[in-house]
Amino acid sequence: MPALLAWGASRVRAREGKAMRQQAVVAGAAVALAAVLALGAGPRPTFVGAAQCKMCHKLQYDSWVTTRHARATDTAKTSTKWEFEPACLTCHATNRDEALAGVQCEGCHGPGSAYRSSQIMKDRQKAVAAGLLIPTQATCDGCHDGTDHHRRVAFDRAVVHAHKN
């Protein structure tokens, strides 16, 4: 009987050792993956502002500047129906503060620092790979969700701003 107990105890220790080795391997893999992702992530794209976009996209800019999106921050701040608070800037400003007032280009197309160069913008696939967002109904729904005063809108590319054909 003592031999059987010793054999059982050695099996338990072997299993515990194997489990500890597996946990160490998993933990090591997780640390390695986190390091790889951190190195590959690079700097986060930043907003450049509609004035930068205007240099190459004058047609779009000139039509956008006449829209409600262009005036969104002012609309929120001067509303007599709703009390203005900083949370309003989540939808009524490009970068969620007043530094880029209104819903500018990057409010729908994403921060432009990584895709703004003409070499990238000339190739739609390169621009998308660099972070350019192509708006969809889901983009609009981010703010126009139908709650409170956020009325739903149907995505209509032609209404947002003019486009080259």
Coordinates of all heavy atoms in Angstrom, one line a residue, residues 79-157:
S79 N -28.2 76.1 -29.0 CA -29.5 75.6 -28.9 C -30.3 76.1 -27.7 O -29.7 76.3 -26.6 CB -29.4 74.0 -28.8 OG -30.7 73.5 -28.5
T80 N -31.5 76.4 -27.9 CA -32.4 76.9 -26.8 C -33.2 75.7 -26.3 O -33.9 75.8 -25.3 CB -33.3 78.0 -27.3 OG1 -34.0 77.6 -28.4 CG2 -32.5 79.3 -27.6
K81 N -33.2 74.6 -27.1 CA -34.0 73.4 -26.7 C -33.2 72.5 -25.8 O -33.8 71.8 -24.9 CB -34.4 72.7 -28.0 CG -35.4 71.6 -27.7 CD -35.9 71.1 -29.1 CE -37.0 70.0 -28.8 NZ -37.5 69.5 -30.1
W82 N -31.9 72.4 -26.0 CA -31.1 71.5 -25.2 C -29.9 72.2 -24.5 O -29.4 73.1 -25.1 CB -30.4 70.4 -26.1 CG -31.5 69.7 -26.9 CD1 -31.9 69.9 -28.2 CD2 -32.3 68.6 -26.5 NE1 -32.8 69.0 -28.6 CE2 -33.1 68.2 -27.5 CE3 -32.4 67.9 -25.3 CZ2 -34.0 67.2 -27.4 CZ3 -33.3 66.9 -25.2 CH2 -34.1 66.5 -26.2
E83 N -29.6 71.8 -23.3 CA -28.5 72.5 -22.6 C -27.2 71.9 -23.1 O -27.0 70.7 -23.2 CB -28.6 72.2 -21.1 CG -27.6 72.9 -20.3 CD -27.8 72.7 -18.8 OE1 -28.9 72.3 -18.3 OE2 -26.8 72.8 -18.1
F84 N -26.3 72.8 -23.5 CA -25.0 72.4 -24.0 C -24.1 71.9 -22.8 O -24.1 72.5 -21.8 CB -24.3 73.5 -24.7 CG -22.9 73.2 -25.2 CD1 -22.7 72.4 -26.3 CD2 -21.8 73.5 -24.5 CE1 -21.5 72.0 -26.8 CE2 -20.5 73.2 -24.9 CZ -20.4 72.4 -26.0
E85 N -23.4 70.8 -23.1 CA -22.4 70.3 -22.1 C -21.3 69.6 -22.9 O -21.5 69.3 -24.1 CB -23.1 69.3 -21.2 CG -23.8 68.2 -21.8 CD -24.6 67.3 -20.8 OE1 -25.4 67.9 -20.1 OE2 -24.3 66.1 -20.8
P86 N -20.2 69.4 -22.4 CA -19.0 68.9 -23.1 C -19.4 67.5 -23.8 O -18.8 67.3 -24.9 CB -17.9 68.7 -22.0 CG -18.2 69.8 -21.1 CD -19.7 69.8 -21.0
A87 N -20.2 66.7 -23.2 CA -20.6 65.5 -23.9 C -21.2 65.7 -25.2 O -21.2 64.8 -26.1 CB -21.5 64.7 -23.0
C88 N -21.8 66.8 -25.5 CA -22.4 67.1 -26.8 C -21.4 67.1 -27.9 O -21.7 66.7 -29.1 CB -23.1 68.5 -26.8 SG -24.4 68.7 -25.6
L89 N -20.1 67.4 -27.5 CA -19.0 67.4 -28.5 C -18.7 66.0 -29.1 O -18.0 65.9 -30.1 CB -17.8 68.1 -28.0 CG -18.1 69.6 -27.6 CD1 -16.9 70.2 -26.9 CD2 -18.4 70.4 -28.9
T90 N -19.1 65.0 -28.4 CA -18.9 63.6 -28.9 C -19.4 63.5 -30.3 O -18.8 62.9 -31.2 CB -19.6 62.6 -28.0 OG1 -19.1 62.7 -26.7 CG2 -19.4 61.2 -28.5
C91 N -20.6 64.1 -30.6 CA -21.1 64.1 -32.0 C -21.1 65.5 -32.7 O -21.1 65.5 -33.9 CB -22.6 63.7 -31.9 SG -22.8 61.9 -31.5
H92 N -21.0 66.5 -31.9 CA -21.0 67.9 -32.5 C -19.7 68.5 -32.8 O -19.6 69.7 -33.0 CB -21.9 68.8 -31.7 CG -23.3 68.5 -31.8 ND1 -24.2 69.2 -32.6 CD2 -24.1 67.6 -31.1 CE1 -25.4 68.7 -32.5 NE2 -25.4 67.8 -31.6
A93 N -18.6 67.7 -32.7 CA -17.3 68.2 -33.1 C -16.5 67.0 -33.6 O -16.7 65.8 -33.3 CB -16.6 68.8 -31.8
T94 N -15.5 67.3 -34.4 CA -14.7 66.2 -35.1 C -13.9 65.4 -34.1 O -13.9 64.2 -34.2 CB -13.8 66.9 -36.1 OG1 -14.6 67.6 -37.0 CG2 -13.0 65.8 -36.8
N95 N -13.2 66.1 -33.2 CA -12.3 65.3 -32.3 C -12.8 65.4 -30.9 O -12.0 65.3 -29.9 CB -10.9 65.9 -32.4 CG -10.8 67.3 -32.0 OD1 -11.8 68.0 -32.0 ND2 -9.6 67.8 -31.7
R96 N -14.1 65.5 -30.7 CA -14.7 65.5 -29.4 C -14.3 66.7 -28.5 O -14.5 66.6 -27.3 CB -14.5 64.2 -28.7 CG -15.2 63.0 -29.5 CD -14.8 61.7 -29.0 NE -15.4 60.5 -29.6 CZ -15.9 60.4 -30.8 NH1 -15.9 61.3 -31.6 NH2 -16.4 59.2 -31.2
D97 N -13.7 67.7 -29.0 CA -13.6 69.0 -28.3 C -13.7 70.1 -29.4 O -13.9 69.8 -30.5 CB -12.3 69.0 -27.5 CG -11.0 69.0 -28.4 OD1 -11.0 69.6 -29.5 OD2 -10.0 68.5 -27.9
E98 N -13.5 71.3 -28.9 CA -13.8 72.4 -29.8 C -12.6 72.8 -30.7 O -12.6 73.7 -31.5 CB -14.2 73.6 -29.0 CG -15.6 73.4 -28.4 CD -16.1 74.6 -27.7 OE1 -16.3 75.7 -28.3 OE2 -16.3 74.5 -26.5
A99 N -11.5 72.0 -30.6 CA -10.3 72.3 -31.4 C -10.6 72.2 -32.9 O -10.1 72.9 -33.7 CB -9.1 71.5 -31.0
L100 N -11.4 71.2 -33.2 CA -11.9 71.0 -34.6 C -13.4 71.1 -34.6 O -14.1 70.0 -34.6 CB -11.4 69.7 -35.2 CG -9.9 69.6 -35.4 CD1 -9.5 68.2 -35.8 CD2 -9.4 70.6 -36.4
A101 N -13.9 72.3 -34.6 CA -15.4 72.5 -34.5 C -16.1 72.0 -35.7 O -15.6 72.0 -36.8 CB -15.7 73.9 -34.2
G102 N -17.3 71.5 -35.5 CA -18.2 71.0 -36.5 C -17.8 69.5 -36.8 O -16.8 69.0 -36.3
V103 N -18.6 68.9 -37.6 CA -18.3 67.5 -38.0 C -17.5 67.7 -39.3 O -18.1 67.8 -40.4 CB -19.5 66.7 -38.2 CG1 -19.2 65.2 -38.6 CG2 -20.3 66.6 -36.9
Q104 N -16.2 67.8 -39.2 CA -15.3 67.9 -40.4 C -15.1 66.6 -41.1 O -15.6 65.6 -40.7 CB -14.0 68.6 -39.9 CG -14.2 69.9 -39.3 CD -12.8 70.6 -39.0 OE1 -11.8 70.2 -39.5 NE2 -12.9 71.6 -38.1
C105 N -14.3 66.7 -42.1 CA -14.0 65.5 -43.0 C -13.7 64.2 -42.1 O -14.2 63.2 -42.3 CB -12.8 65.8 -43.9 SG -12.9 67.4 -44.7
E106 N -12.8 64.4 -41.2 CA -12.3 63.3 -40.4 C -13.3 62.8 -39.3 O -13.1 61.7 -38.8 CB -11.0 63.7 -39.6 CG -9.9 64.0 -40.6 CD -8.8 64.8 -40.0 OE1 -9.0 66.0 -39.6 OE2 -7.7 64.3 -39.9
G107 N -14.4 63.5 -39.1 CA -15.5 63.1 -38.3 C -16.1 61.8 -38.9 O -16.6 60.9 -38.2
C108 N -16.1 61.7 -40.2 CA -16.6 60.5 -40.9 C -15.6 59.7 -41.5 O -15.7 58.4 -41.6 CB -17.6 61.0 -42.0 SG -19.0 61.9 -41.3
H109 N -14.4 60.3 -41.9 CA -13.4 59.5 -42.6 C -12.2 59.1 -41.8 O -11.3 58.5 -42.3 CB -12.9 60.4 -43.8 CG -13.9 60.6 -44.9 ND1 -14.2 59.6 -45.8 CD2 -14.6 61.7 -45.2 CE1 -15.1 60.1 -46.6 NE2 -15.4 61.3 -46.3
G110 N -12.3 59.4 -40.5 CA -11.2 59.0 -39.6 C -10.0 60.0 -39.6 O -9.8 60.7 -40.6
P111 N -9.2 60.0 -38.5 CA -8.0 60.9 -38.4 C -7.1 60.7 -39.7 O -6.8 59.6 -40.1 CB -7.3 60.4 -37.2 CG -8.4 59.7 -36.4 CD -9.3 59.1 -37.4
G112 N -6.7 61.8 -40.2 CA -6.1 61.8 -41.5 C -4.6 61.8 -41.6 O -4.0 61.8 -42.7
S113 N -3.9 61.9 -40.5 CA -2.4 62.0 -40.5 C -1.7 60.9 -41.3 O -0.7 61.1 -41.9 CB -1.9 62.1 -39.1 OG -2.1 60.9 -38.4
A114 N -2.3 59.7 -41.2 CA -1.6 58.6 -41.9 C -2.0 58.4 -43.4 O -1.3 57.7 -44.1 CB -1.9 57.3 -41.1
Y115 N -3.0 59.0 -43.8 CA -3.4 58.9 -45.2 C -3.5 60.2 -46.0 O -3.9 60.2 -47.2 CB -4.8 58.1 -45.3 CG -6.0 58.8 -44.7 CD1 -6.6 59.8 -45.4 CD2 -6.5 58.4 -43.5 CE1 -7.7 60.5 -44.9 CE2 -7.6 59.1 -43.0 CZ -8.2 60.1 -43.7 OH -9.3 60.7 -43.2
R116 N -3.1 61.3 -45.5 CA -3.3 62.6 -46.1 C -2.3 62.9 -47.3 O -2.6 63.7 -48.1 CB -3.2 63.7 -45.1 CG -1.8 64.0 -44.6 CD -1.9 65.2 -43.7 NE -0.5 65.6 -43.4 CZ -0.3 66.6 -42.5 NH1 -1.3 67.2 -42.0 NH2 0.9 67.0 -42.3
S117 N -1.2 62.2 -47.4 CA -0.3 62.5 -48.4 C -0.9 62.1 -49.8 O -1.7 61.2 -49.9 CB 1.0 61.7 -48.2 OG 0.9 60.4 -48.6
S118 N -0.5 62.9 -50.8 CA -1.1 62.7 -52.1 C -0.7 61.3 -52.7 O -1.5 60.7 -53.4 CB -0.7 63.8 -53.1 OG 0.7 63.8 -53.3
Q119 N 0.5 60.8 -52.3 CA 0.9 59.5 -52.8 C 0.0 58.4 -52.3 O -0.3 57.4 -53.0 CB 2.3 59.2 -52.4 CG 3.4 60.0 -53.0 CD 3.6 61.3 -52.3 OE1 2.9 61.6 -51.3 NE2 4.5 62.2 -52.8
I120 N -0.6 58.6 -51.1 CA -1.5 57.6 -50.5 C -2.9 57.8 -51.0 O -3.6 56.9 -51.5 CB -1.4 57.6 -49.0 CG1 0.0 57.1 -48.5 CG2 -2.5 56.7 -48.4 CD1 0.2 57.2 -47.1
M121 N -3.3 59.1 -51.0 CA -4.7 59.4 -51.4 C -5.0 59.1 -52.8 O -6.2 58.9 -53.2 CB -5.0 60.8 -51.1 CG -5.3 61.1 -49.6 SD -6.6 60.2 -48.9 CE -8.0 61.0 -49.6
K122 N -4.0 59.0 -53.7 CA -4.3 58.7 -55.1 C -4.7 57.3 -55.3 O -5.2 56.9 -56.4 CB -3.0 59.0 -56.0 CG -2.8 60.5 -56.2 CD -1.5 60.8 -57.0 CE -1.3 62.2 -57.1 NZ -0.1 62.5 -57.9
D123 N -4.4 56.4 -54.3 CA -4.7 55.0 -54.4 C -5.7 54.7 -53.3 O -5.3 54.6 -52.1 CB -3.4 54.2 -54.3 CG -3.6 52.7 -54.4 OD1 -4.7 52.2 -54.0 OD2 -2.6 52.0 -54.9
R124 N -6.9 54.4 -53.6 CA -7.9 54.2 -52.6 C -7.6 53.0 -51.7 O -7.8 53.1 -50.5 CB -9.3 53.9 -53.3 CG -10.4 53.7 -52.3 CD -11.7 53.5 -53.0 NE -12.8 53.2 -52.1 CZ -14.0 53.8 -52.0 NH1 -14.2 54.8 -52.9 NH2 -14.9 53.4 -51.2
Q125 N -7.0 52.0 -52.2 CA -6.7 50.8 -51.4 C -5.6 51.2 -50.4 O -5.6 50.8 -49.2 CB -6.2 49.6 -52.2 CG -7.3 48.9 -52.9 CD -6.8 47.7 -53.7 OE1 -5.8 47.8 -54.4 NE2 -7.5 46.6 -53.6
K126 N -4.6 52.0 -50.8 CA -3.5 52.4 -49.9 C -4.1 53.3 -48.8 O -3.7 53.3 -47.7 CB -2.4 53.2 -50.7 CG -1.5 52.3 -51.4 CD -0.4 53.2 -52.1 CE 0.5 52.3 -52.9 NZ 1.5 53.2 -53.6
A127 N -5.0 54.2 -49.2 CA -5.6 55.2 -48.3 C -6.4 54.4 -47.2 O -6.3 54.7 -46.0 CB -6.5 56.2 -49.0
V128 N -7.2 53.4 -47.7 CA -8.0 52.6 -46.7 C -7.1 51.9 -45.8 O -7.3 51.8 -44.6 CB -9.0 51.7 -47.5 CG1 -9.6 50.7 -46.5 CG2 -10.1 52.6 -48.1
A129 N -6.0 51.3 -46.4 CA -5.0 50.5 -45.5 C -4.4 51.5 -44.5 O -4.0 51.0 -43.4 CB -4.0 49.9 -46.4
A130 N -4.2 52.7 -44.9 CA -3.6 53.7 -43.9 C -4.6 54.3 -43.0 O -4.2 55.1 -42.1 CB -2.9 54.8 -44.8
G131 N -5.9 54.0 -43.0 CA -6.8 54.4 -42.1 C -8.0 55.2 -42.6 O -8.9 55.6 -41.8
L132 N -8.0 55.5 -43.9 CA -9.2 56.2 -44.4 C -10.4 55.4 -44.2 O -10.5 54.2 -44.6 CB -9.0 56.5 -45.9 CG -10.2 57.1 -46.6 CD1 -10.5 58.5 -46.1 CD2 -10.0 57.1 -48.1
L133 N -11.5 56.0 -43.6 CA -12.7 55.3 -43.5 C -13.7 55.7 -44.6 O -13.8 56.9 -44.9 CB -13.4 55.6 -42.1 CG -12.6 55.3 -40.9 CD1 -13.3 55.7 -39.6 CD2 -12.2 53.8 -40.8
I134 N -14.3 54.7 -45.2 CA -15.3 55.0 -46.2 C -16.7 54.9 -45.5 O -17.1 53.8 -45.0 CB -15.3 53.9 -47.4 CG1 -13.9 53.9 -47.9 CG2 -16.3 54.3 -48.4 CD1 -13.3 55.2 -48.5
P135 N -17.3 56.1 -45.3 CA -18.6 56.1 -44.5 C -19.7 55.2 -45.1 O -19.8 55.0 -46.3 CB -19.0 57.6 -44.6 CG -17.7 58.3 -44.9 CD -16.9 57.4 -45.8
T136 N -20.4 54.7 -44.1 CA -21.6 53.8 -44.4 C -22.7 54.3 -43.5 O -22.6 55.2 -42.7 CB -21.3 52.3 -44.1 OG1 -21.1 52.2 -42.7 CG2 -20.1 51.8 -44.9
Q137 N -23.9 53.6 -43.6 CA -25.0 53.9 -42.7 C -24.5 53.8 -41.3 O -24.9 54.6 -40.4 CB -26.2 53.0 -43.0 CG -27.4 53.3 -42.1 CD -28.0 54.7 -42.4 OE1 -28.2 55.0 -43.5 NE2 -28.2 55.5 -41.3
A138 N -23.7 52.8 -41.0 CA -23.2 52.6 -39.6 C -22.5 53.9 -39.1 O -22.5 54.2 -37.9 CB -22.4 51.4 -39.5
T139 N -21.8 54.5 -40.0 CA -21.0 55.7 -39.6 C -22.0 56.8 -39.1 O -21.8 57.4 -38.0 CB -20.2 56.3 -40.8 OG1 -19.4 55.3 -41.4 CG2 -19.4 57.5 -40.4
C140 N -23.1 57.0 -39.9 CA -24.1 58.0 -39.5 C -24.8 57.6 -38.2 O -25.1 58.4 -37.3 CB -25.2 58.1 -40.6 SG -24.6 58.6 -42.2
D141 N -25.1 56.3 -38.0 CA -25.7 55.8 -36.8 C -25.0 56.0 -35.6 O -25.5 55.9 -34.5 CB -26.1 54.3 -37.0 CG -27.1 54.0 -38.1 OD1 -27.8 55.0 -38.5 OD2 -27.2 52.8 -38.5
G142 N -23.7 56.2 -35.7 CA -22.9 56.5 -34.5 C -23.4 57.7 -33.7 O -23.3 57.7 -32.5
C143 N -23.9 58.7 -34.4 CA -24.5 59.8 -33.7 C -26.0 59.9 -33.9 O -26.7 60.2 -33.0 CB -23.8 61.1 -34.2 SG -22.1 61.3 -33.7
H144 N -26.4 59.6 -35.1 CA -27.8 59.7 -35.5 C -28.5 58.3 -35.1 O -28.9 57.6 -36.0 CB -28.0 60.0 -37.0 CG -27.5 61.3 -37.4 ND1 -28.2 62.5 -37.2 CD2 -26.3 61.7 -37.9 CE1 -27.5 63.5 -37.6 NE2 -26.3 63.1 -38.0
D145 N -28.6 58.0 -33.8 CA -29.0 56.7 -33.4 C -30.5 56.7 -33.0 O -31.0 55.7 -32.6 CB -28.2 56.3 -32.2 CG -28.3 57.2 -31.0 OD1 -29.1 58.1 -31.0 OD2 -27.5 57.0 -30.1
G146 N -31.2 57.8 -33.2 CA -32.7 57.8 -32.9 C -33.1 58.0 -31.5 O -34.2 58.1 -31.2
T147 N -32.1 58.2 -30.6 CA -32.4 58.5 -29.2 C -32.4 60.0 -28.9 O -31.7 60.7 -29.6 CB -31.4 57.8 -28.3 OG1 -30.1 58.4 -28.5 CG2 -31.4 56.3 -28.5
D148 N -33.2 60.3 -28.0 CA -33.3 61.7 -27.5 C -33.4 62.7 -28.7 O -34.4 62.6 -29.4 CB -32.0 62.0 -26.7 CG -32.1 63.2 -25.8 OD1 -33.2 63.7 -25.6 OD2 -31.1 63.7 -25.4
H149 N -32.5 63.5 -29.0 CA -32.6 64.5 -30.1 C -31.7 64.0 -31.3 O -31.5 64.8 -32.2 CB -32.2 65.9 -29.6 CG -30.8 66.0 -29.2 ND1 -30.3 65.6 -28.0 CD2 -29.7 66.5 -29.8 CE1 -29.0 65.8 -27.9 NE2 -28.6 66.4 -29.0
H150 N -31.2 62.8 -31.2 CA -30.3 62.3 -32.3 C -31.2 61.6 -33.3 O -31.2 60.4 -33.4 CB -29.3 61.4 -31.7 CG -28.5 61.9 -30.6 ND1 -28.5 61.3 -29.3 CD2 -27.8 63.0 -30.4 CE1 -27.8 62.0 -28.5 NE2 -27.4 63.1 -29.1
R151 N -31.8 62.4 -34.2 CA -32.7 61.8 -35.2 C -32.0 60.9 -36.1 O -30.8 61.2 -36.5 CB -33.5 62.9 -35.9 CG -32.7 63.7 -36.8 CD -33.6 64.7 -37.6 NE -32.8 65.6 -38.4 CZ -32.3 65.2 -39.6 NH1 -32.7 64.1 -40.1 NH2 -31.6 66.1 -40.3
R152 N -32.6 59.8 -36.5 CA -32.0 58.9 -37.5 C -32.0 59.6 -38.9 O -32.8 60.5 -39.2 CB -32.9 57.7 -37.6 CG -32.7 56.8 -36.5 CD -32.9 55.3 -36.9 NE -32.7 54.4 -35.8 CZ -31.6 53.9 -35.4 NH1 -30.5 54.3 -36.0 NH2 -31.5 53.1 -34.4
V153 N -31.0 59.3 -39.6 CA -30.8 59.8 -41.0 C -30.5 58.6 -41.9 O -29.9 57.6 -41.5 CB -29.8 60.9 -41.2 CG1 -30.1 62.1 -40.4 CG2 -28.4 60.4 -40.8
A154 N -30.9 58.7 -43.1 CA -30.5 57.7 -44.1 C -29.2 58.1 -44.8 O -29.1 59.3 -45.2 CB -31.6 57.5 -45.1
F155 N -28.2 57.3 -44.8 CA -27.0 57.7 -45.4 C -27.2 58.0 -46.9 O -27.7 57.1 -47.7 CB -25.9 56.5 -45.3 CG -24.6 56.8 -46.0 CD1 -23.8 57.8 -45.6 CD2 -24.3 56.0 -47.1 CE1 -22.6 58.0 -46.2 CE2 -23.1 56.2 -47.8 CZ -22.2 57.2 -47.3
D156 N -26.8 59.2 -47.3 CA -26.9 59.6 -48.7 C -25.7 60.3 -49.0 O -25.5 61.5 -48.6 CB -28.2 60.4 -48.9 CG -28.4 60.8 -50.4 OD1 -27.5 60.6 -51.2 OD2 -29.5 61.4 -50.7
R157 N -24.8 59.7 -49.7 CA -23.5 60.3 -50.1 C -23.7 61.7 -50.7 O -22.8 62.6 -50.4 CB -22.8 59.3 -51.0 CG -21.4 59.6 -51.4 CD -20.9 58.4 -52.2 NE -19.5 58.7 -52.6 CZ -19.2 59.1 -53.9 NH1 -20.1 59.1 -54.8 NH2 -18.0 59.4 -54.2

